Amino acid sequence: MIEVEKLSKEQAAAELKRIAEEMAKSDIAYYQNDAPYLSDAEYDALKRLNAEIEKRFPELIRDDSPSKRIGAPLQSAFGKVAHRFPMLSLADVFSIEEVEDFIAGVKRFLNTEADIAFMCEPKIDGLSFTARYENGLFVQGATRGDGREGEDITANLKTISQLPQRLENAPEVLEVRGEVYMSKADFFALNAKYESEGKKTFANPRNAAAGSLRQLDPEITRERNLSLFAYTWGEVSERVWQSQEDFFRCLKKWGFPTNPNNRLCQNVAEIEKFFANLMEIRSSLTYDIDGVVYKVNDIALQERLGFLTRTPRWAVAHKFPAEQALTKVSNIRIQVGRTGALTPVADLEPVNVGGVIVSHATLHNEDEIRRKDIRIGDTVVVQRAGDVIPQVVAVLPDKRPANSVPFEFPHFCPECGAHAIREEDEAVRRCTGGLTCPAQAIERLKHFVSRDAFDIEGLGGKIIETFYKEKIIVNPVDIFTLENRNAARGDDLFAQEPGLRLEARDGWGKKSVENLFAAINKRRHISLARFIYALGIRQVGTATSRLIAQNFENWRHFEEEMTAGETEKLMSVDGIGESMAHDIVEFFREEHNISTVHKLLQEVTVEDFAEQISTGSPLSGKTVVFTGTLEHLTRSEAKAKAQAAGAKVAGSVSKNTDFVVLGTAAGSKAKTALELGIRTISEEEFLALING
């Protein structure tokens, strides 16, 4: 187990990088491919470790941090649906002590000592959905997706008999949200049918439900006999309920199924009793659950509490303890990521853990292997908490083979043979092959065309891998020269160099090639922020890319400053620390990086940054500092309201500050504001600005 309190700043940054990459990969496997490879326990452990490191080193919080992310990018097989209200995930806790801490935090935020009622709901292990009704008619269904956009599954949702198609006496616009699941009986029947037909079976009911709901043919969905529970709402034209309890009454009136085990609890003692009772009956339920969700019952209190970056302050998920089993490590292999990080993966002898067959697990890094002394051939304890791939908890030395030897972490990249070095104070060993390493090159290309970068449809992971291996696309510039190179190859040349004329390749035709080139040409103009992100600079995520674009305004200015090694100017940007600034400047010191960028700029146009500030709030785009004791709001509420209005909340006053909100007994910040000529306002004036 990594001891966060002993991590240096450099080690912490490396760990946050590793966790972000691993969890992003896991999110795609879970949400997009319905084929998760991390167990709930292992995923939750990474998320908790990330939160602990971020708490100790807030200046190292990454733009691609799991704490800022929901779900995964969408596949292109379904149409996209923009959620008018984001479908957020929940923070997780794993003990009653953590539940007590959560409730205490809610009380602190609300500045009250009184008991707060919570609606307690079994956490269904299925696929989240939203169903939109207009004038009482079901008009659209969607998955959660990445929380902002989901996949259009309207036709598939219609096949679920439990979903009402028409509502009586409902608001004009109403989005009902919940979870689609497959019962244990239907899951076992489906797997038995598939096994008899020689088809691949599903790992668990959640995968079966997700795979069924995301079928391109709705009739297949209909045959799978899916079920659902409704439990919350999205957009609504008129809210006619005042609490979670009221909302469940409305759902039942409209004909939606709600979980019969939902209970309203008035205090921690009742919550603890509810959790214990649910644990006892868990195995007898006809569906899978992996914990309990606690929601503040009073909607007015929910609105006061508001949201963090990706989770509500008024709800939390209490996860069940992990299930465990014994198995053997058949092999330890090394995967190479986009930044050259070498990640060890344990292949396990397949084992049934709580009804799920698992066969491999990520081992994080060489320190983790050394600390647990994990060896090939070892018998290990693995655990899961409702998903597929386990966490290796411990090794059983007494069952170790006599000829066992410690695992030697490679000092050379398994993909390209280049040296794999571990910098001082870093937890990760990295390949030094850079763009000459095929693993890194392929991952960098995938990143370059990804949704938040150039977003080129038609260049999926498999196509990128194939094109790279056949030397059709080996660097980003090749993407934009592909059409001309393809057109220049006549029949005679194609015969000499098979595979380079796209129209003649298996699975390709004239129309598909035209669509690919159209998608590429559509991206020949790109925003400065997207361009910076696409370069794949270490530690630079989407938010940092936008910060850089906002502060440097155009590519020429940015490149000049970075080539000159201006780390101080970078570090003056709020949100960019020393470690990140170092990585950015290092990128510009590599000659092949600059050469690639300059060639790329001959093919694409990078647009200057243009800030579009919303006129909906006078605080939008402004930097606000609070000082002193506020009378009408808690400090947390004030910050949340400022951020909701589009403001950035800072902890200290500088020349970049726009407003300083003065509470009673304001201290040195008020004096600094006066010295710098920064506008100071009272709490009442702040509330007036917030309210329009």
Side-chain angles (χ1 to χ4, degrees), residues 11 23 64 112 159-160 175 203 216 305 318 325 358 442 528 549:
Q11 289 174 320
M23 291 185 68
D64 59 349
T112 181
T159 68
I160 302 177
E175 277 188 34
L216 294 178
L305 287 159
H318 186 181
V358 296
I442 290 171
L528 177 58

Side-chain angles (χ1 to χ4, degrees), residues 104-327:
V106 168
K107 290 182 176 181
R108 280 196 303 273
F109 191 98
L110 298 174
N111 194 25
T112 181
E113 294 296 327
D115 281 339
I116 296 174
F118 284 84
M119 179 58 70
C120 303
E121 308 166 26
K123 186 174 181 295
I124 309 302
D125 198 11
L127 185 75
S128 299
F129 76 91
T130 183
R132 182 178 179 84
Y133 293 81
E134 294 178 359
N135 298 312
L137 295 178
F138 172 57
V139 296
Q140 189 175 63
T143 62
R144 187 211 307 263
D146 64 1
R148 296 167 298 174
E149 279 188 332
E151 295 166 328
D152 190 332
I153 54 169
T154 305
N156 295 31
L157 270 183
K158 281 184 177 180
T159 68
I160 302 177
S161 60
Q162 291 178 315
L163 184 80
Q165 301 299 305
R166 181 187 295 272
L167 308 181
E168 296 293 337
N169 300 317
E172 183 179 346
V173 174
L174 172 66
E175 277 188 34
V176 173
R177 294 174 174 179
E179 203 85 1
V180 170
Y181 67 94
M182 181 177 286
S183 72
K184 294 175 183 177
D186 288 327
F187 167 70
F188 289 126
L190 179 64
N191 265 0
K193 178 177 181 291
Y194 272 27
E195 192 169 1
S196 67
E197 296 172 354
K199 296 179 181 178
K200 183 180 178 181
T201 58
F202 290 98
N204 56 35
R206 190 269 168 198
N207 285 10
S212 301
L213 193 59
R214 300 168 75 250
Q215 290 290 324
L216 294 178
D217 182 358
E219 289 308 308
I220 297 178
T221 305
R222 189 189 306 277
E223 295 171 1
R224 300 284 177 83
N225 199 24
L226 298 177
S227 303
L228 64 85
F229 283 126
Y231 53 69
T232 192
W233 64 93
E235 183 181 15
V236 59
S237 56
E238 180 187 9
R239 179 165 56 78
V240 294
W241 53 91
Q242 304 304 317
S243 67
Q244 291 288 147
E245 190 177 29
D246 287 345
F247 180 63
F248 283 134
R249 281 194 282 265
C250 291
L251 287 174
K252 291 176 182 178
K253 180 182 66 176
W254 293 322
F256 289 94
T258 60
N259 197 304
N261 291 295
N262 293 340
R263 292 288 183 275
L264 184 64
C265 294
Q266 302 294 337
N267 50 51
V268 173
E270 291 185 13
I271 286 174
E272 187 172 1
K273 183 178 179 181
F274 176 84
F275 185 82
N277 289 340
L278 198 60
M279 281 280 288
E280 288 182 14
I281 67 170
R282 177 185 181 188
S283 60
S284 65
L285 296 176
T286 60
Y287 46 85
D288 276 346
I289 61 175
D290 58 4
V292 181
V293 173
Y294 307 124
K295 300 176 184 174
V296 171
N297 188 49
D298 190 317
I299 307 302
L301 294 183
Q302 288 186 12
E303 291 174 343
R304 282 184 62 189
L305 287 159
F307 299 86
L308 297 168
T309 305
R310 62 187 288 271
T311 60
R313 289 190 181 88
W314 43 265
V316 73
H318 186 181
K319 303 296 281 291
F320 287 136
E323 299 174 87
Q324 296 186 338
L326 297 182
T327 186

Side-chain angles (χ1 to χ4, degrees), residues 619-635:
L619 290 180
S620 182
K622 305 296 185 181
T623 298
V624 177
V625 173
F626 293 94
T627 183
T629 302
L630 303 180
E631 295 181 0
H632 304 291
L633 302 170
T634 65
R635 180 66 65 87

Side-chain angles (χ1 to χ4, degrees), residues 488-536:
R489 300 188 183 282
D491 293 335
D492 292 340
L493 184 58
F494 171 72
Q496 296 171 17
E497 297 185 65
L500 292 179
R501 182 88 177 203
L502 296 185
E503 295 89 338
R505 298 172 62 87
D506 288 341
W508 291 80
K510 183 178 179 182
K511 186 62 177 176
S512 58
V513 172
E514 288 177 353
N515 288 342
L516 174 60
F517 292 154
I520 292 173
N521 290 328
K522 187 179 177 181
R523 300 301 186 221
R524 288 187 180 272
H525 283 75
I526 188 170
S527 71
L528 177 58
R530 279 181 174 267
F531 185 75
I532 294 170
Y533 176 71
L535 297 178

Side-chain angles (χ1 to χ4, degrees), residues 522-556:
K522 187 179 177 181
R523 300 301 186 221
R524 288 187 180 272
H525 283 75
I526 188 170
S527 71
L528 177 58
R530 279 181 174 267
F531 185 75
I532 294 170
Y533 176 71
L535 297 178
I537 303 171
R538 281 186 66 189
Q539 300 196 61
V540 177
T542 53
T544 299
S545 299
R546 193 175 188 282
L547 274 177
I548 293 171
Q550 186 177 18
N551 282 272
F552 290 87
E553 297 184 344
N554 61 68
W555 175 261
R556 180 182 298 175

